[in-house]
Amino acid sequence: MDTRTPGDSLFPALEPLLEQVSKPIQYVGGELNSTVKDWDCGGANTVRWALMYPDAYEVGVPNQGSMILYEVLNERDGVLCERTYAVWPDMEALMRAEGVPQFTVDAHRAIGDFDVLGVSFSTELGYTNLLTALDLGGIPLHARDRVDGDPIVIAGGHAAFNPETLADFIDAAIIGDGEEAVLMVTGLINAWKREGMPGGRRELLLRLAKTGGVYVPGFYDVTYLADGRIQRIAPTEPGVPWRVSKHTVMDLDAWPYPKQPLVPLAESVHERMSVEIFRGCTRGCRFCQAGMITRPVRERSITGIGEMVEKGLAATGFEEVGLLSLSSADHSEIAELTKGLADRYEGTQTGLSLPSTRVDAFNIDLANELTRNGRRSGLTFAPEGGSERIRKVINKMVTEEDLIKTVSAAYGAGWRNVKLYFMCGLPTETDEDVLQIAELAKKVIETGRQVSGRKDIRCTVSIGGFVPKPHTPFQWVAQLSADETDARLTKLRDAIRADKRFGSSIGFRYHDGKPGIVEGLLSRGDRRVGAVIEQVWRDGGRFDGWSEHFSYEKWMTAADKAFAASEWPIDVDWYTTREREESEVLPWDVVDSGLDKEWLWQDWLDSLDETEVDDCRWTPCFDCGVCPQMGTEIEIGPTGKVLLPLTILGAGKAGMAEHTHA
Ligand code: SF4
């Protein structure tokens, strides 16, 4: 019999397991800047959140979105928030054997004790890890089986913009920026508790749904046509809206989070402090879901950024600052910002990186500021498409000349290896478009050898399979099959290796097409795909984002089984390699991202004509729909302000560096 009181620490039961698992430190918590609050910090009406990042600790702990929400919630009186991550299979087996439930790393409380389990999905390949956590946590897998006292399971993050695939397992989804949304939900739960929790969890979910900003799949009925397409998604309760709006934080300076970034105990994927310098991107790359769903652009001011860097470094002791966004060199004051930070931290150990920089926005001044006294190890740019033609199709307005100019600046500033990222399987793509990548890489090497006068110049070509995503102009297109992707990439590899003058200077990295097909199934799926996710999970599917754990065969076998039992002629191809018509009801139509569906369709037609669309930051609005629909507008500088110099304590060589990526 379970004699625990809700909120009790599970650590006594957990401790003996730690010495039997790999990397036990990931389960112990207590990181610098982590928070543990009293279970009843708000008395009887305390609102308690368990926040999950559904991947291993080392990936989850530096995640900005989760870190921000953790701090925003814990800053409020009467609210407590703790973190939980996916446990590795060795720990899962022991927890099952010993009856230890899924726990938070902060105070080792059972996730089933909390009011809300909030799960932030960056990728669809994290869905099976949610099921493990629910099952270990003693929370019924299916939302319909949950009862009063079970947490409300809420999905968020970019991979929740099509929440229908997860409909069986989540109670709700919050679309868009989380800062204000989690406080709104917290306020609602607090009010419902104060009233004595009338109507139980159903009433609470109904109140959330009626706000218009929380999607509760259980209050929508989906009907289908005989051929498997969706006929209608309709609310089943009065007051529940037909479409749910995304949340947009307008003034980033008013939300300077994280103020106290977490410092991981165990090794993590990013050992640096990150400051988000702006949100959104209106470059209009047609394949890019992140750009489309985060419109419009909202910049943080240069002084706001300077303050966050200063306070964050003092709070953490990190020696590297990453200036984050979807395309960091597009900040209207990036030159002043990088110069200001380079000046301020000259003579200290503090390094600076721009993890996302476009080919056409990188210039010699930026290269110089980033390399001032520093390391010059790796630099990544993403032309995305191999030929000029395909770059017009995807609206990545980068010419070959831009690219050569950029790599010339980089090699000239001392970098030896430039990484180029491309996609394979883009709409209308032919073998010829992809083979152009080999030609481009050779020109890059030639340029590097010329400007540096050295022979040891390298270029690494890295290729990913294109997955069409919801809320983009490519949401209707047919995905390239895994076999065709592999065949095309084999031809490219042979073309690169064939030329002995360059072969050894060009590195070639690619993933096979199989994970992309599973990602495609989950991205553009509907609630019938839930049966596949569950089957894969029951067959042992875990950590699908990790190549050593991912099993394509497991997914295909599970899909065959689940779809064979359905009453419609649907299969994996139907969800992935099938082109949709304009009139088709899409599962994510229930989510209002602000983008006008007609505009997206027109943009798809423009893409077929190879017509480019400008960035509305610098040209007149081209009516994508977001600003009027969401009541938002573009927020950019320049502010004309400069960073005030600070007296920095500490000596040593400044390390301004690396990682420039688009
Ligand atoms: S509505 Fe106009 S200004 Fe706003 S993001 Fe769309 S195109 Fe840009």
Side-chain angles (χ1 to χ4, degrees):
M1 203 180 91
D2 190 359
T3 51
R4 280 185 324 107
T5 308
D8 277 358
S9 170
L10 296 164
F11 201 72
L14 188 63
E15 202 175 8
L17 311 187
L18 293 176
E19 61 192 25
Q20 305 171 55
V21 297
S22 59
K23 298 190 189 167
I25 193 131
Q26 65 186 309
Y27 304 116
V28 301
E31 300 93 335
L32 182 61
N33 299 327
S34 61
T35 306
V36 172
K37 286 174 110 172
D38 193 75
W39 186 247
D40 291 318
C41 61
N45 304 318
T46 309
V47 179
R48 307 174 182 103
W49 285 73
L51 268 191
M52 178 176 194
Y53 191 85
D55 206 328
Y57 175 89
E58 66 204 75
V59 182
V61 79
N63 178 263
Q64 280 285 294
S66 311
M67 221 188 276
I68 291 171
L69 300 185
Y70 176 70
E71 199 174 324
V72 164
L73 286 164
N74 274 323
E75 246 182 30
R76 296 300 186 279
D77 289 338
V79 183
L80 77 92
C81 176
E82 299 192 13
R83 298 160 296 135
T84 185
Y85 303 98
V87 297
W88 283 113
D90 60 346
M91 182 56 125
E92 181 189 339
L94 284 174
M95 287 163 68
R96 287 189 189 284
E98 300 301 324
V100 177
Q102 175 84 23
F103 55 88
T104 60
V105 295
D106 295 294
H108 304 100
R109 288 160 167 153
I111 62 166
D113 292 349
F114 288 74
D115 296 308
V116 183
L117 173 65
V119 192
S120 177
F121 288 102
S122 303
T123 157
E124 293 80 4
L125 296 175
Y127 291 169
T128 49
N129 284 352
L130 166 65
L131 271 57
T132 310
L134 291 173
D135 190 50
L136 282 174
I139 302 166
L141 280 191
H142 294 145
R144 63 169 180 270
D145 296 331
R146 289 178 201 139
V147 295
D148 292 352
D150 286 327
I152 304 285
V153 180
I154 304 182
H158 288 187
F161 267 73
N162 173 16
E164 270 296 286
T165 318
L166 286 171
D168 286 352
F169 316 113
I170 58 171
D171 296 297
I174 294 178
I175 313 299
D177 298 337
E179 293 93 333
E180 292 166 325
V182 294
L183 293 180
M184 179 272 284
V185 169
T186 301
L188 228 132
I189 296 175
N190 179 270
W192 170 76
K193 281 192 170 187
R194 275 189 280 115
E195 289 167 38
M197 300 190 271
R201 69 187 281 118
R202 190 177 188 283
E203 166 71 17
L204 176 60
L205 287 169
L206 202 51
R207 289 186 187 187
L208 289 168
K210 285 181 179 174
T211 62
V214 181
Y215 180 58
V216 180
F219 293 141
Y220 291 79
D221 187 33
V222 186
T223 49
Y224 302 93
L225 299 166
D227 64 7
R229 288 176 301 152
I230 294 172
Q231 182 180 39
R232 207 172 78 132
I233 306 179
T236 55
E237 304 294 323
V240 173
W242 283 81
R243 301 188 77 201
V244 176
S245 286
K246 98 171 166 182
H247 297 262
T248 310
V249 166
M250 280 313 297
D251 180 4
L252 247 50
D253 279 333
W255 295 89
Y257 295 90
K259 296 174 183 166
Q260 310 263 321
L262 289 162
V263 182
L265 288 176
E267 198 178 300
S268 77
V269 289
H270 298 306
E271 302 281 337
R272 64 171 181 232
M273 192 194 96
S274 298
V275 174
E276 186 186 27
I277 62 173
F278 66 88
R279 207 171 278 184
C281 178
T282 40
R283 288 277 192 165
C285 301
R286 295 184 171 114
F287 57 85
C288 181
Q289 188 195 38
M292 291 288 166
I293 61 179
T294 57
R295 292 174 173 223
V297 172
R298 290 143 289 150
E299 284 187 358
R300 202 184 290 284
S301 70
I302 181 169
T303 41
I305 296 166
E307 221 170 279
M308 281 183 74
V309 171
E310 185 197 344
K311 290 191 177 147
L313 286 175
T316 60
F318 278 128
E319 290 187 343
E320 187 181 332
V321 182
L323 300 179
L324 291 195
S325 73
L326 290 173
S327 170
S328 291
D330 279 344
H331 191 284
S332 62
E333 289 174 305
I334 191 67
E336 295 80 353
L337 182 61
T338 45
K339 182 175 182 317
L341 291 174
D343 286 348
R344 183 192 275 185
Y345 295 104
E346 186 145 20
T348 74
Q349 297 287 354
T350 307
L352 187 66
S353 65
L354 289 192
S356 289
T357 304
R358 283 177 59 100
V359 171
D360 47 352
F362 185 83
N363 57 45
I364 196 78
D365 293 340
L366 204 52
N368 289 340
E369 292 305 353
L370 288 174
T371 57
R372 209 194 286 183
N373 298 330
R375 313 180 296 272
R376 301 172 186 91
S377 46
L379 196 58
T380 304
F381 295 108
E384 318 276 2
S387 70
E388 206 99 359
R389 188 195 76 77
I390 204 78
R391 289 197 292 273
K392 285 190 176 142
V393 168
I394 63 177
N395 203 43
K396 184 94 187 186
M397 292 190 280
V398 172
T399 61
E400 191 174 303
E401 202 189 327
D402 289 329
L403 179 67
I404 297 300
K405 233 194 279 170
T406 297
V407 295
S408 175
Y411 287 123
W415 271 281
R416 296 278 160 262
N417 187 11
V418 169
K419 293 181 195 147
L420 299 178
Y421 178 77
F422 297 92
M423 279 186 288
C424 175
L426 291 161
T428 79
E429 181 185 278
T430 62
D431 286 357
E432 191 41 41
D433 293 307
V434 171
L435 289 173
Q436 288 280 314
I437 294 171
E439 297 309 311
L440 210 54
K442 289 177 200 168
K443 283 184 193 151
V444 164
I445 293 290
E446 265 171 358
T447 307
R449 286 178 183 166
Q450 260 168 28
V451 292
S452 69
R454 299 173 62 124
K455 279 258 170 288
D456 62 345
I457 293 303
R458 277 189 65 76
C459 167
T460 305
V461 169
S462 168
I463 315 222
F466 167 64
V467 180
K469 291 282 168 114
H471 306 282
T472 70
F474 291 158
Q475 63 182 357
W476 293 277
V477 308
Q479 185 174 352
L480 195 66
S481 72
D483 287 346
E484 287 169 287
T485 303
D486 293 347
R488 211 165 265 175
L489 290 176
T490 304
K491 284 184 192 157
L492 174 61
R493 188 196 57 201
D494 293 347
I496 288 176
R497 292 203 178 143
D499 193 334
K500 294 279 174 285
R501 288 171 305 149
F502 300 101
S504 60
S505 302
I506 303 174
F508 185 57
R509 287 202 198 129
Y510 73 97
H511 296 294
D512 66 53
K514 288 174 176 168
I517 290 294
V518 172
E519 195 185 331
L521 169 70
L522 299 175
S523 304
R524 292 196 293 171
D526 51 48
R527 54 179 70 184
R528 294 170 294 187
V529 173
V532 183
I533 300 172
E534 185 171 339
Q535 187 61 49
V536 167
W537 177 77
R538 290 198 183 283
D539 293 342
R542 307 285 188 275
F543 290 93
D544 292 294
W546 295 67
S547 51
E548 61 268 45
H549 291 276
F550 175 78
S551 164
Y552 184 69
E553 288 65 38
K554 204 172 265 171
W555 278 94
M556 293 308 114
T557 309
D560 285 348
K561 197 166 160 189
F563 291 142
S566 90
E567 56 192 275
W568 302 278
I570 52 175
D571 56 20
V572 173
D573 287 348
W574 189 86
Y575 283 101
T576 55
T577 58
R578 178 179 66 97
E579 182 165 335
R580 281 78 163 159
E581 286 177 4
E582 185 185 7
S583 58
E584 181 163 342
V585 177
L586 303 170
W588 53 94
D589 282 349
V590 73
V591 168
D592 185 3
S593 62
L595 293 155
D596 189 12
K597 201 173 176 187
E598 279 166 31
W599 179 83
L600 286 173
W601 180 259
Q602 185 54 48
D603 203 40
W604 162 228
L605 299 182
D606 286 349
S607 151
L608 292 173
D609 286 342
E610 297 165 26
T611 304
E612 293 160 310
V613 179
D614 277 329
D615 189 326
C616 60
R617 248 174 303 190
W618 306 299
T619 60
C621 167
F622 46 79
D623 295 326
C624 79
V626 170
C627 292
Q629 183 67 14
M630 299 284 126
T632 55
E633 55 187 26
I634 288 180
E635 292 283 337
I636 58 171
T639 59
K641 295 187 179 151
V642 288
L643 287 184
L644 293 175
L646 293 168
T647 311
I648 304 297
L649 298 175
K653 208 160 158 279
M656 311 297 297
E658 66 173 335
H659 315 307
T660 298
H661 177 65

